[in-house]
Amino acid sequence: MTGLAWQVCADASALARAAADRVLVLATQALAAREVFRIALAGGRTPAATYALLRDADTDWSRWHIYFTDERCVGPRDPARNAHMTRESWLDHVTVPAAQVHAIPVEYGPRVAASRYGEDVARITPFDVVMLGIGEDGHTASLFPGRPSMPEAWAVAVDDAPKPPANRVSLGLRALRATREVLVLASGPDKQSALSAWRAGAPLPIAEATAGMNGTVFVDRAAFRI
Ligand code: 6PG
């Protein structure tokens, strides 16, 4: 895979299938080459269908390491947690060792969590794959437009996210780009304008995170306006 390919899928379920298939191809390649597979997961709603399809994967879960591209600073059992969504849709149904699900420790507060997680991620990168969503404003992870991009940051504390909750911890550009491949998932009509702006060259966080990277942007027809 060289450069960023755009794959237009018929609908959200076809997108989920295509993204899950790509994750499993990358996992098989990583396990064969390095005996470990490190994936950083996207939050939000879109990837849940992809994660659910991974439940049935024929893979050696004992060699998977799960990271998160961002986390909302809410209570540990709050369903708004991205870790909660990934566990419900996927991780509670497979046997990835608990110690290999590396949640962002937001219970320490955003600044300490960002510092600690950033150190951990700096130590283990490159990821084999980073999965990203895109917001209607072109944000990705919890990197929002109009904020300093801090290209050297491994992880950042966010206290003014326009998408609630305001307080989050996000991988910074340095971590999001420290990957062999990036997968972006965008589904539904509310992503059309962000995708069009991105393709037109707008300096959006999604553009900064993926510029020059190898990977695939999975879009469904509802999200993609030529
Ligand atoms: C978050 C996500 C965020 C998400 C986009 C798209 O914590 O909110 O990391 O970056 O990927 O906002 O969200 P949807 O998939 O719900 O549209």
Side-chain angles (χ1 to χ4, degrees):
M1 174 73 61
T2 53
L4 210 52
W6 287 65
Q7 182 169 337
V8 183
C9 305
D11 54 26
S13 57
L15 185 157
R17 180 73 270 165
D21 289 349
R22 187 62 189 160
V23 167
L24 292 172
V25 164
L26 294 171
T28 302
Q29 290 172 351
L31 294 181
R34 292 174 293 279
E35 300 196 351
V36 64
F37 179 56
R38 295 187 178 95
I39 181 171
L41 301 182
R45 290 185 315 275
T46 301
T50 295
Y51 300 153
L53 290 174
L54 291 174
R55 291 183 196 182
D56 305 324
D58 176 16
T59 184
D60 182 355
W61 295 117
S62 72
R63 294 192 287 159
W64 285 52
H65 281 259
I66 309 291
Y67 294 85
F68 296 84
T69 58
D70 70 341
E71 187 54 279
R72 294 92 173 266
C73 295
V74 293
R77 274 175 291 284
D78 190 321
R81 280 258 185 128
N82 286 325
H84 182 278
M85 177 272 291
T86 57
R87 285 198 165 94
E88 278 222 321
S89 55
W90 169 30
L91 297 178
D92 284 351
H93 306 271
V94 297
T95 55
V96 175
Q100 294 172 204
V101 179
H102 307 276
I104 298 177
V106 293
E107 56 278 6
Y108 291 108
R111 299 203 183 293
V112 170
S115 169
R116 290 190 182 189
Y117 207 67
E119 285 168 8
D120 290 349
V121 164
R123 208 173 19 251
I124 59 91
T125 40
F127 295 115
D128 292 293
V129 60
V130 166
M131 294 179 70
L132 294 174
I134 179 173
E136 296 174 33
D137 58 359
H139 79 257
T140 195
S142 288
L143 304 180
F144 290 88
R147 276 73 175 173
S149 62
M150 296 187 283
E152 293 311 307
W154 286 100
V156 293
V158 175
D159 62 9
D160 59 352
K163 176 181 180 183
N167 287 302
R168 294 156 168 259
V169 175
S170 182
L171 289 187
L173 286 176
R174 189 169 183 184
L176 295 178
R177 295 177 59 83
T179 184
R180 293 181 171 88
E181 190 156 323
V182 63
L183 306 182
V184 180
L185 282 61
S187 170
D190 60 351
K191 304 301 172 74
Q192 277 187 9
S193 57
L195 291 173
S196 300
W198 175 16
R199 289 172 66 86
L204 299 169
I206 187 67
E208 292 179 304
T210 59
M213 303 289 284
N214 293 330
T216 306
V217 183
F218 294 98
V219 298
D220 61 15
R221 288 221 183 90
F224 192 66
R225 185 176 58 207
I226 302 282

